[in-house]
Amino acid sequence: MSPLTLNSTYRLPSGYDIPILGYGVYQTPADIASDVVQHALKVGYRHVDSAVAYRNEEPSADGMKKSGIPRDQLFFTTKIPTRQMNYENSKQHIENTLKVTGFDYVDLYLIHSPYGGKENRIGAWKALVEGVQAGKIRSIGVSNYGVHHLEELEEWMKSTEEKEGKGKGGVLSVNQIELHPWLARKDIVDWCRNKGVVVEAYSPLVRATKTDDPLLLPLAKKYGKTTSQILLRWSLQKGFVPLPKSVTKSRIEENAQIYDFELSDEDMKKLDLDGVYEPCTWDPTVSRD
Ligand SMILES: NC(=O)c1ccc[n+]([C@@H]2O[C@H](COP(=O)([O-])OP(=O)(O)OC[C@H]3O[C@@H](n4cnc5c(N)ncnc54)[C@H](OP(=O)(O)O)[C@@H]3O)[C@@H](O)[C@H]2O)c1
């Protein structure tokens, strides 16, 4: 495999390419989102991860447009919010995203979480599938899905294909979950790998709670990098799509400077904390409703 660069992409099951490094905008205030997105694009990011719930789809898209980079070289993700998620509301959210962003299509639309019960999960998925059929969305996926949620969706997709024909159940391209050495989610990652579903890693910096961690500090020293860069490099070498967030221009740059070194196999193993379960955010993957 050729070495990864800031321009590297993965091919999604949908057939579209996703830039491997994403720029997360959770908790990025709407009044600065356009500016920080423009900075991220200036330093080479091409992929922005937003959500209806983040209330910054519009300014994030504004920053993408103001960057002057052609739309087809940029990748915009958003997510159907968990609150009152169902088929009808999901259709509305898709329309509204196109309206507020002014985009002709969304690159990737995800279901933000599995909360809300099977009927609503499937309803939201159907709305996404219809969005793809109508050319409003290129690729679709889920977020915070545990293996049992993924299997429920796969079963529905299969039975829909049997009844209605190939492709009618939609194509699952992505599962976006919290992922870092303290939450490696082997079960979910393995399931996705086996099915060719791309895994996106959110909170890849563990929300800056491990900046001085004794496991990371010696590696940072050894490679002449920051602990944040070590975490992002780990994520890249695991084959994930990391989505670091920062509103600080110097950190936006720092988080993209992860292509001039490689963690050795031995050092990757040091970060293999098998069985450790330390989420730093919510964890809907375990919900059973
Ligand atoms: N699907 C979901 O349910 C879900 C949940 C959470 C997150 N996400 C996505 O994943 C993205 C990232 O996750 P996250 O925002 O939770 O956490 P994160 O990226 O792990 O950490 C963000 C925090 O780290 C700080 N930071 C960034 N770069 C740093 C650096 N080089 N050195 C020191 N500190 C640094 C940021 O501060 P400053 O901003 O002040 O620089 C911010 O406080 C989100 O923006 C969102 O797009 C998705």
Side-chain angles (χ1 to χ4, degrees):
M1 202 178 90
S2 55
L4 293 175
T5 71
L6 190 47
N7 302 319
S8 296
T9 56
Y10 288 133
R11 176 70 40 94
L12 295 170
S14 62
Y16 290 100
D17 292 334
I18 182 168
I20 294 179
L21 186 67
Y23 175 63
V25 292
Y26 177 52
Q27 290 182 323
T28 298
D31 60 345
I32 62 161
S34 174
D35 185 46
V36 290
V37 164
Q38 283 178 70
H39 188 72
L41 299 178
K42 197 167 107 194
V43 304
Y45 296 74
R46 289 291 177 268
H47 164 180
V48 177
D49 184 80
S50 184
V52 171
Y54 302 169
R55 297 172 187 274
N56 57 23
E57 289 179 296
E58 183 176 357
S60 298
D62 180 68
M64 293 172 77
K65 282 180 241 163
K66 287 194 174 137
S67 73
I69 299 166
R71 175 69 182 94
D72 64 1
Q73 291 174 31
L74 296 175
F75 193 97
F76 180 71
T77 301
T78 192
K79 311 179 191 94
I80 290 172
T82 298
R83 212 167 147 262
Q84 294 171 346
M85 180 176 79
N86 59 32
Y87 172 75
E88 280 305 329
N89 288 346
S90 301
K91 299 271 284 185
Q92 280 300 317
H93 285 302
I94 295 165
E95 289 309 318
N96 199 53
T97 295
L98 293 176
K99 191 167 139 217
V100 301
T101 60
F103 287 152
D104 297 331
Y105 63 90
V106 171
D107 292 277
L108 178 63
Y109 220 122
L110 305 177
I111 294 176
H112 207 141
S113 89
Y115 290 142
K118 179 175 178 180
E119 191 183 332
N120 292 330
R121 282 191 287 276
I122 297 299
W125 182 256
K126 273 168 75 170
L128 290 178
V129 174
E130 289 172 17
V132 173
Q133 286 162 351
K136 296 171 182 173
I137 307 171
R138 288 191 160 176
S139 306
I140 55 178
V142 295
S143 178
N144 295 299
Y145 268 40
V147 169
H148 57 296
H149 302 119
L150 292 162
E151 284 178 343
E152 171 192 280
L153 178 59
E154 189 188 41
E155 200 183 307
W156 182 85
M157 285 162 68
K158 270 191 190 148
S159 71
T160 303
E161 283 213 353
E162 278 163 21
K163 278 185 266 165
E164 298 177 23
K166 198 165 162 44
K168 295 288 186 197
V171 177
L172 176 64
S173 282
V174 162
N175 187 16
Q176 180 183 123
I177 52 176
E178 182 183 336
L179 273 178
H180 44 69
W182 291 268
L183 192 68
R185 312 268 38 181
K186 195 174 165 348
D187 55 339
I188 303 175
V189 171
D190 285 351
W191 192 96
C192 292
R193 287 262 150 81
N194 284 336
K195 310 282 178 181
V197 174
V198 168
V199 178
E200 294 189 337
Y202 78 67
S203 306
L205 302 171
V206 207
R207 294 216 163 141
T209 57
K210 301 284 183 186
T211 322
D212 297 320
D213 190 87
L215 187 66
L216 299 176
L217 283 173
L219 296 175
K221 191 160 179 239
K222 175 176 169 183
Y223 291 96
K225 288 288 178 181
T226 64
T227 50
S228 300
Q229 290 169 325
I230 297 293
L231 282 172
L232 294 173
R233 187 70 212 185
W234 175 87
S235 199
L236 286 183
Q237 288 182 217
K238 281 286 194 182
F240 305 148
V241 170
L243 307 169
K245 174 263 175 185
S246 177
V247 294
T248 314
K249 291 190 174 169
S250 59
R251 289 176 179 164
I252 293 173
E253 292 163 30
E254 177 186 326
N255 296 341
Q257 287 158 9
I258 52 176
Y259 299 96
D260 56 355
F261 75 112
E262 191 173 347
L263 296 171
S264 68
D265 289 348
E266 193 189 334
D267 289 332
M268 285 296 284
K269 278 203 193 92
K270 284 186 194 153
L271 295 175
D272 188 356
L273 312 179
D274 201 22
V276 172
Y277 176 80
E278 285 181 32
C280 68
T281 68
W282 60 345
D283 184 11
T285 67
V286 295
S287 85
R288 286 277 157 194
D289 75 337

